[in-house]
Amino acid sequence: MQVTLKDFTKTFDDMTVIDKMNLTVEDGEMLALLGPSGCGKSTTLFAICGIHRINGGQILFGTRDVSNVPSQKRNVGVVFQNYALYPHLTVSENIAFPLSVRGDDKAKIEREVRAIAELTHIEELLARRPAQLSGGQQQRVALARALVRKPDVLLLDEPLANLDAKLRLEMRSEIRRIQLETGITAILVTHDQVEAMSMCDRIAIMNKGEILQIATPTDMYRAPVNKFVAGFLGNPPIVMLEGKASGDGRFIVNGGAGLPLPSRLANIPGDTPLSLGVRPEHFGAAGASQVSGTITFVEPQGRETLFDVTLADGVVLRSIQPAREDVALGHKVAWPLDAEKLLAFDATGQAV
Amino acid sequence: MRTRTSLLGLGFVSPALALLFAFFLMPVVLTTVFAFTNMSTATGITGGSHVITGNLLRDLGNAGIDNDVITALGEASFSVTSETLAAAADAGVEPRFLGEIEARLMGQNFEDARSFESALKSLPSRPTRIRELKLATEPFERSILNTRYASRADMEAAITSMAPDAPAETISTIAEASYTGWRWIDGGNFQTLLDRPETIRIVLNTVFYVAATLAFNVFVGLFLAITTFYLPKTGAGFFSVLWLLPRITPVVLYAVMWKWFTWDNGFLYVIAEQLGLPAFNYMKGSVPTAWATIILVNGFVGASFGMILFSGALRAIPIQQLWASEVDGASRWQQIRQIILPQLRWPILFVTSYQTLSLLSSYEQIWLTTNGGPGSTTTVWALEAFNTALNNYTGNLEYGMGAAMALILVAVGLVLSILYLRMFRFDELVNKPRIEF
Ligand SMILES: Nc1ncnc2c1ncn2[C@@H]1O[C@H](COP(=O)(O)OP(=O)(O)OP(=O)(O)O)[C@@H](O)[C@H]1O
Ligand SMILES: [Mg+2]
């Protein structure tokens, strides 16, 4: 089911948290709402499922306007960050809850609960209570409960935030598998870029109640619309250099030497203020130009090693390379820079 | 080392033990002791003396003591001894006349007033007026009736002197019966209670009072907690305070307010009159309205207690659970029934048990409002015990009986507490402790 937000506005008391947001989630798509803490991701999610009333605009499920439909009648499944399982009910009663309040008959409930428990791999936990489950197991139960009545939309509010690193990895692919198997339209709220990129078809990146860009993970990473998006995606993060265009296809760092600009910006007039974004993988691997400097920081990460290289004029570039031990702290190096992949932003922060 | 630690431990707990003993155990112990006595205002709570009264003689006669002995004890005699002479001097009998009595009649005994009077008349300086003569005989009268004897031996000696022929065991029985202090009567109080026809009525009243007030407390408490929970926050605070008022108002003021509310020409009365409904003193005018008053008076005090506990428990439920149940399709009612109430189970049980115990022993509000009436239709056990022991209008406070009634209350409360405690413990057993040692 397609979900559309039209000029969605939400205020708490006098504070406008979200102002005229527009967003379309395609049928069967999994979309990530990605953004820093407090940017309004949960607020958007709660508006979609009807927990919050909206203060302006429209929410459409398909063509149906649900803006004023109570949450009970929207047929959405929600997985809350803390799972919100009912502590006094067993796992199977928890999962059966949406069906039993609807008044389904026992046999049907039993059948549906079994089926969904199989899908989420929790068949052997059905008789337990939430307090007797691990975090990952609770997570699966919450997912099963959200899915059991075949909702039109599945909403996930930071579902992996409370899990340890290994379990997070496992549940990431698990949730994606289930979403693909059921073909349900899903919205995942997260502030973890890796989660967003690895699980979702598209990412809507938010900041301060505004959607900055909606794109597939690869597009967004390769071509962020502005400095915020470029800085938010990527780990280790992009290095942003402030300066201006030289007029002859180069970039002059404030108070320092020049770096090459991508050829598409060859004609940019001189003295145009620019920010140049250099991702760590763009320095030290391949490229036409050579940049030399001194290694001032080394961080081995197992498969890869992260270097900070300080150039002659004091500019620090970051480089990530397959693990190597032939260079060390203090060494002078001259590494290639892939100028064509560099990102440039104008004075307002928009990509150029 | 071990002994030192245990001594140290004892040292630490001893203040608590002392307090426990003084404030918790002592009243129960005293109640238990009193319950097996016939203590009352008449007997006093310290020791007593030995007195034979007219009533006692009659009772003894009925109990089959030899009639001759009874008659002998009932008679007065007159004797001239140094004590009676001294008494007569104190009573202001003329000294010359007294000197003559001493000189002529010393050591003599007279069976009745007439013979003593005629003996006195023979004395030269006798008073001329017959009334004065009669007055002068009084100090010489020696009667066992209404005379206090400090010890049993004194009483026995007095009985022997009055009725020398009485057998020793009769004397002993009479001396025993003449004791005015309290004594042990084993289960006598309880037997009396069992035999009294009002007892069953008071028991039923109590059961009804506790059950109805409790139901009111819990349901209204729940209702208030849940409605204020769904109300906007600003209103909720105001309502909480409003419902607390009955509890924080001094009980006497609160009762007076209810009187004003329900009495003749009170608020309800006037309104009922305006509406053409029966208007009378609702508090005391009829049994159903008296009960309604009592249950409401106590119910409103207790409702705030339930409301506060339930509100706390409600707020402890994570809001996401309620959101989850809503998106899961649960209506308000289903949310309350299936998510909220099951999680309020322990607070409800706690309020129920706590309130049962406190209602069982509460009587103040009843005493201040209907005072058990009309008749004794709204008299509960605790009120009856209070009236028996501390508030009897005839003036004879029956401490022993009151204590016996209180003891029964304590026993019932104890049994209930144990039952409730086991119920709570049961919960702990089901939920394994989260913190293990
Ligand atoms: N009930 C509320 N009353 C007032 N302000 C609120 C309320 N809920 C959220 N806000 C505000 O709205 C903004 C967005 O909150 P929201 O919970 O949507 O953030 P989020 O993106 O989900 O953040 P996080 O990643 O920390 O969960 C925040 O500034 C928050 O303070
Ligand atoms: Mg959030």
Side-chain angles (χ1 to χ4, degrees), chain A residues 72 86-88 101 131 149, chain B residues 321 325 327-328 330 334 338 434:
Chain A
Q72 283 91 340
Y86 311 127
H88 57 289
V101 292
R149 61 171 176 164
Chain B
Q321 263 181 49
S325 69
V327 295
D328 282 346
Q334 281 171 325
Q338 300 186 35
R434 294 295 182 82

Side-chain angles (χ1 to χ4, degrees), chain A residues 10-13 15-18 33 35-46 52 81 157-158 189-191 206 209, chain B residues 323:
Chain A
K10 177 71 198 172
T11 58
F12 287 112
D13 302 323
M15 189 175 61
T16 303
V17 172
I18 289 169
L33 273 181
S37 187
C39 70
K41 307 178 298 282
S42 299
T43 305
T44 309
L45 201 76
F46 291 157
H52 290 338
Q81 181 173 343
D157 189 5
E158 313 213 15
V189 158
T190 178
H191 55 245
M206 284 181 73
Chain B
W323 287 346

Side-chain angles (χ1 to χ4, degrees), chain A residues 46 51 71-72 76 78 80 82 84-88 97-98 101 131 145 149, chain B residues 318 320-321 323-332 334 338-339 342-343 434:
Chain A
F46 291 157
I51 291 169
S71 50
Q72 283 91 340
V76 288
V78 183
F80 291 87
N82 61 4
L85 298 177
Y86 311 127
H88 57 289
F97 188 80
V101 292
R145 184 180 66 186
R149 61 171 176 164
Chain B
Q320 285 84 357
Q321 263 181 49
W323 287 346
S325 69
E326 275 171 27
V327 295
D328 282 346
S331 64
R332 243 324 110 79
Q334 281 171 325
Q338 300 186 35
I339 305 298
Q343 298 193 60
R434 294 295 182 82

Side-chain angles (χ1 to χ4, degrees), chain B residues 58-285:
Chain B
R58 209 174 50 235
D59 292 348
L60 287 170
N62 294 340
I65 299 289
D66 189 1
N67 232 14
D68 294 343
V69 180
I70 302 282
T71 322
L73 290 179
E75 276 170 353
S77 67
F78 296 81
S79 60
V80 182
T81 64
S82 41
E83 289 123 56
T84 50
L85 282 169
D90 287 346
V93 177
E94 209 228 329
R96 215 149 56 87
F97 182 42
L98 212 55
E100 282 171 15
I101 296 175
E102 188 175 1
R104 305 227 190 140
L105 302 177
M106 186 65 178
Q108 288 197 30
N109 269 319
F110 301 87
E111 286 285 304
D112 52 37
R114 226 153 47 85
S115 53
F116 185 47
E117 275 167 27
S118 59
L120 289 186
K121 276 179 192 158
S122 65
L123 296 177
S125 51
R126 62 170 194 274
T128 45
R129 292 168 60 183
I130 199 76
R131 215 176 75 82
E132 267 178 52
L133 187 78
K134 278 204 189 308
L135 273 177
T137 62
E138 269 172 20
F140 297 93
E141 179 174 347
R142 274 189 55 231
S143 163
I144 198 167
L145 269 190
N146 300 324
T147 308
R148 265 175 203 283
Y149 297 90
S151 75
R152 181 170 171 155
D154 291 349
M155 175 53 98
E156 279 180 1
I159 295 170
T160 317
S161 77
M162 296 296 286
D165 303 335
E169 76 197 79
T170 307
I171 294 177
S172 154
T173 311
I174 296 170
E176 172 71 38
S178 71
Y179 185 61
T180 62
W182 60 270
R183 63 183 122 220
W184 301 103
I185 54 167
D186 299 334
N189 288 325
F190 301 99
Q191 190 60 50
T192 315
L193 280 176
L194 266 183
D195 295 343
R196 263 190 206 164
E198 308 97 270
T199 304
I200 182 74
R201 150 122 239 178
I202 292 174
V203 169
L204 291 178
N205 279 353
T206 310
V207 170
F208 177 71
Y209 161 70
V210 172
T213 313
L214 194 62
F216 184 91
N217 277 346
V218 171
F219 281 112
V220 173
L222 263 179
F223 178 79
L224 291 177
I226 289 175
T227 44
T228 48
F229 181 69
Y230 284 116
L231 233 57
K233 277 204 185 61
T234 44
F238 173 71
F239 272 106
S240 306
V241 173
L242 197 70
W243 285 97
L244 259 178
L245 277 177
R247 180 161 287 265
I248 53 186
T249 316
V251 64
V252 176
L253 266 184
Y254 181 62
V256 167
M257 200 200 78
W258 271 93
K259 282 192 174 166
W260 172 79
F261 192 63
T262 55
W263 269 25
D264 298 315
N265 297 314
F267 181 79
L268 275 186
Y269 183 97
V270 171
I271 289 202
E273 219 171 27
Q274 298 279 326
L275 297 177
L277 295 171
F280 55 96
N281 178 344
Y282 297 104
M283 189 179 280
K284 293 191 168 176

Side-chain angles (χ1 to χ4, degrees), chain B residues 33-50:
Chain B
V33 169
F34 283 17
F36 293 93
T37 70
N38 66 345
M39 263 182 216
S40 68
T41 314
T43 67
I45 55 170
T46 50
S49 49
H50 293 262

